[in-house]
Amino acid sequence: MWSSRINGTIFYAYQVCPREAWFYYHRLNPDKEHPLLDLGRLVHETSYTRARKEIFVDRLLKIDLFRGELVAEIKRSQRHKEAARLQLAFYLYYLKNEKGLEMEGVILFPRERRSERLKLTLELENRIRKLLQEMQETFSNSKPPPLQRCRWCRSCAFEEVCWA
Ligand code: SF4
């Protein structure tokens, strides 16, 4: 039985910045007016509208759409491609271990007209398991991970929280 509050957003954020993920996990929400959040929402709202069927799974996964037997995740750009890959692997991991569904995935980058298939290999499954353990330790801490400027800070919705 799954006992964690780690959802898809938190899992993805952790790959980009553990401090940002800590904020989400502890329910500190970023500025809703942040332009990049708007852009992300816009890409989601205007892409694949006919095929679109967002599916929520246990309030942890928000699956953008199913393409046949594939779980699809839509991303604004390839900027955080590895994070997107791991987020999708986390979805596949959850579906397999919690729902008994063995599926494959695809990441869609509509603005760049690209897509990438993903298979949950044993190696990837072990990586997800380790990451979940690591995240659980990070989030059980009452303080966020220390400030560390990274190349994503300038476009992060928490920039003012961290650097004002
Ligand atoms: S501003 Fe930088 S350090 Fe702060 S949460 Fe965002 S990416 Fe992380």
Side-chain angles (χ1 to χ4, degrees):
M1 184 73 183
W2 196 261
S3 60
S4 171
R5 281 201 290 118
I6 296 171
N7 61 28
T9 305
I10 294 168
F11 196 96
Y12 177 78
Y14 190 85
Q15 314 314 317
V16 179
C17 170
R19 186 174 165 91
E20 183 184 4
W22 189 97
F23 287 148
Y24 281 125
Y25 187 86
H26 290 272
R27 303 200 166 114
L28 292 159
N29 289 313
D31 179 5
K32 294 263 191 311
E33 302 302 313
H34 194 280
L36 283 179
L37 293 181
D38 281 350
L39 186 58
R41 276 194 285 266
L42 189 71
V43 170
H44 267 82
E45 281 161 16
T46 56
S47 307
Y48 305 102
T49 43
R50 272 189 299 161
R52 170 148 237 113
K53 261 197 176 70
E54 267 181 1
I55 309 272
F56 289 86
V57 182
D58 297 341
R59 295 175 181 227
L60 291 173
L61 320 187
K62 189 181 78 169
I63 294 173
D64 290 333
L65 61 97
F66 285 98
R67 269 203 161 174
E69 296 294 305
L70 295 176
V71 175
E73 175 65 18
I74 303 169
K75 289 294 179 209
R76 181 164 54 88
S77 77
Q78 296 191 69
R79 197 168 65 146
H80 297 304
K81 197 162 132 184
E82 183 57 13
R85 225 174 69 81
L86 288 171
Q87 181 193 14
L88 184 55
F90 165 60
Y91 285 3
L92 299 177
Y93 174 93
Y94 188 91
L95 291 172
K96 179 180 173 187
N97 291 290
E98 293 298 310
K99 304 293 173 195
L101 294 170
E102 293 202 31
M103 301 186 77
E104 292 188 18
V106 61
I107 314 172
L108 304 168
F109 304 99
R111 292 173 86 208
E112 296 156 8
R113 296 178 188 275
R114 297 189 74 101
S115 63
E116 191 177 302
R117 291 278 294 260
L118 185 81
K119 202 176 157 123
L120 186 68
T121 58
L122 209 53
E123 190 189 358
L124 199 47
E125 213 172 328
N126 285 335
R127 188 154 172 216
I128 298 299
R129 200 171 290 117
K130 272 194 195 150
L131 274 167
L132 285 167
Q133 279 168 5
E134 188 185 306
M135 280 183 226
Q136 212 57 67
E137 281 166 31
T138 303
F139 301 148
S140 65
N141 214 314
S142 60
K143 288 190 179 152
L147 261 178
Q148 210 173 356
R149 199 172 265 288
C150 72
R151 56 201 283 238
W152 313 118
C153 289
R154 288 181 61 153
S155 56
C156 176
F158 288 105
E159 193 196 12
E160 279 190 26
V161 178
C162 291
W163 302 105

